[in-house]
Amino acid sequence: NNKQGPNGDESELFTTMSSSSTTRTIVITGGLGNLGTKLCNHLLDQNNNDGNKKYEVVLLEHPAFIKDKRPHSGAILVPCDLGNPSACNKALLQILQDVDVLVHFSAVNPYPNATWSESAQSMDHTFTIFQLAVLCKVRRVILASSNHVMGGYKDDSNYGPSSIHPDSDPKVGTIPLDRNQIATGGDAIAYGTAKLAGERLARTLGQLYSDTTTFVVLRIGWCQPGENKPSTLSAAGSPPEFLTTKEEVAAEVVVDASSDEIWFKQMWLSNRDFLNYFEAAIDLTVPTTDNNKDDENASVHRHVQKGFVLLNAMSRNHNAKWNLEKTEQWLGVVSKDDSLAEDHQNS
């Protein structure tokens, strides 16, 4: 059942980790958020009722977000503020010992309208948990990065369907043509920068510590809370409750912004694909040597390096610019979901 320190204090953590060699212990940061909840439920629902557990899941969540949320009954819940490492360092070092996989979702604001202050704090979360994972020799770290690292390709006519590869140069930020959308939904520049910083730290740590810890980075698309239906996708890029309240700008400065909505629909990540991608990343074989270290022409953005693999993680949406060939090759997951299936089948 849900376990935590008796007073909800990180320093008073009492957990019983499974001693079974066949049980995988998965730690999820941002464990009570949209993605953390979906992944937790998916993993724990695979455990048998006869006591043989495939997964044990530990959820790390900021104390302020625990009050009204109920996690899966089989999860271990630990209050932890990753933005205050001196307060939770002792508990984290205890939790991460003998952990098989760390999945990092935590962010101060997980949407494109994140401010620079919020994004800087999200970087703190990533830097803290990554360094502790390496220190504790966690076998695998999985980072939920974002398509917004590559959002600058949105209106670039030089790039057509399947043209954005995981080793394409980063172009941070997704700037809507509709200025009203910028005012409420943001431009994802600060948000995407925090994700890119996490990717680069994963690359560095993977190269330095691949003998004990390897990193998988998934640039995920838009996976909405709940049922995550294509019909509720919009050019806002965020659920309505997370939009910033602003006065609308003058209508005359709003241009034809139909491409905004199409772009966000083409970055959709279905619940099924999200879960399949992340579970596959748990056991993905990551190279621990660098075959390209002497290649002067090798891109610094190449998606497979020593201790590090980076992949696109969207659904197979019609005419999307995201290339999923490497995703299928490395994860063995072929998406069959398409947010625009009904539109292009009827056209």
Side-chain angles (χ1 to χ4, degrees):
N1 294 329
N2 304 328
K3 307 172 184 73
Q4 62 185 53
N7 296 317
D9 188 333
E10 298 94 329
S11 65
E12 296 177 338
L13 170 69
F14 292 90
T15 62
T16 303
M17 297 298 185
S18 172
S19 59
S20 171
S21 60
T22 60
T23 301
R24 298 289 186 85
T25 300
I26 315 293
V27 173
I28 301 176
T29 71
L32 294 183
N34 169 35
L35 301 180
T37 297
K38 288 178 179 178
L39 183 60
C40 172
N41 293 346
H42 172 72
L43 296 177
L44 290 179
D45 285 348
Q46 298 181 52
N47 290 341
N48 297 326
N49 295 325
D50 59 6
N52 293 322
K53 298 196 298 184
K54 184 177 181 181
Y55 296 110
E56 185 162 67
V57 177
V58 180
L59 304 176
L60 303 184
E61 187 56 84
H62 192 288
F65 297 108
I66 291 177
K67 184 178 178 180
D68 300 321
K69 297 187 177 182
R70 294 180 179 275
H72 192 289
S73 61
I76 299 170
L77 176 61
V78 181
C80 178
D81 179 5
L82 291 178
N84 188 6
S86 62
C88 62
N89 178 63
K90 185 176 179 180
L92 288 173
L93 288 173
Q94 179 185 350
I95 293 164
L96 293 174
Q97 293 297 329
D98 301 318
V99 162
D100 191 57
V101 179
L102 168 72
V103 182
H104 182 50
F105 292 126
S106 180
V108 173
N109 180 350
Y111 290 104
N113 60 0
T115 65
W116 280 105
S117 176
E118 291 169 334
S119 295
Q121 293 173 74
S122 294
M123 291 184 215
D124 292 341
H125 289 202
T126 302
F127 300 166
T128 295
I129 201 65
F130 277 17
Q131 292 184 76
L132 290 174
V134 166
L135 183 63
C136 294
K137 299 182 179 180
V138 174
R139 180 188 67 85
R140 168 66 42 78
V141 176
I142 303 172
L143 169 65
S145 185
S146 173
N147 60 86
H148 291 294
V149 171
M150 313 297 283
Y153 291 95
K154 169 177 166 286
D155 297 307
D156 191 332
S157 60
N158 293 315
Y159 291 83
S162 298
S163 61
I164 303 176
H165 297 261
D167 57 358
S168 298
D169 290 350
K171 288 190 177 183
V172 171
T174 305
I175 302 176
L177 296 177
D178 184 339
R179 296 189 189 179
N180 284 312
Q181 294 293 354
I182 298 176
T184 58
D187 57 18
I189 294 176
Y191 174 75
T193 298
K195 292 297 188 181
L196 179 59
E199 292 183 6
R200 303 309 285 182
L201 179 59
R203 170 185 175 273
T204 297
L205 294 176
Q207 290 189 350
L208 293 175
Y209 300 100
S210 63
D211 55 335
T212 54
T213 302
T214 56
F215 291 78
V216 177
V217 175
L218 301 180
R219 283 183 180 150
I220 64 174
W222 188 8
C223 186
Q224 305 166 101
E227 294 184 64
N228 185 28
K229 295 180 179 180
S231 59
T232 55
L233 296 166
S234 72
S238 301
E241 63 270 26
F242 288 95
L243 297 177
T244 305
T245 302
K246 299 282 187 181
E247 292 185 5
E248 288 196 358
V249 297
E252 59 266 24
V253 302
V254 180
V255 299
D256 178 10
S258 58
S259 64
D260 290 347
E261 183 171 352
I262 293 173
W263 175 262
F264 280 102
K265 287 185 175 181
Q266 289 175 335
M267 69 166 65
W268 182 59
L269 173 61
S270 70
N271 287 345
R272 174 170 61 175
D273 289 337
F274 161 68
L275 296 171
N276 287 340
Y277 287 152
F278 274 79
E279 188 169 13
I282 290 174
D283 290 315
L284 174 65
T285 300
V286 176
T288 55
T289 58
D290 194 343
N291 296 328
N292 295 312
K293 64 181 180 179
D294 297 322
D295 184 357
E296 294 181 357
N297 296 317
S299 168
V300 295
H301 302 302
R302 66 188 190 276
H303 75 287
V304 178
Q305 302 183 38
K306 179 182 178 183
F308 173 84
V309 174
L310 182 152
L311 299 165
N312 290 332
M314 300 78 182
S315 292
R316 185 167 291 284
N317 304 306
H318 184 66
N319 276 345
K321 292 185 178 183
W322 310 104
N323 189 293
L324 298 177
E325 292 179 3
K326 297 299 182 182
T327 307
E328 296 173 0
Q329 175 186 335
W330 282 85
L331 295 180
V333 177
V334 179
S335 169
K336 299 184 184 303
D337 296 330
D338 179 358
S339 67
L340 296 166
E342 185 174 341
D343 293 344
H344 71 78
Q345 286 173 2
N346 294 333
S347 60

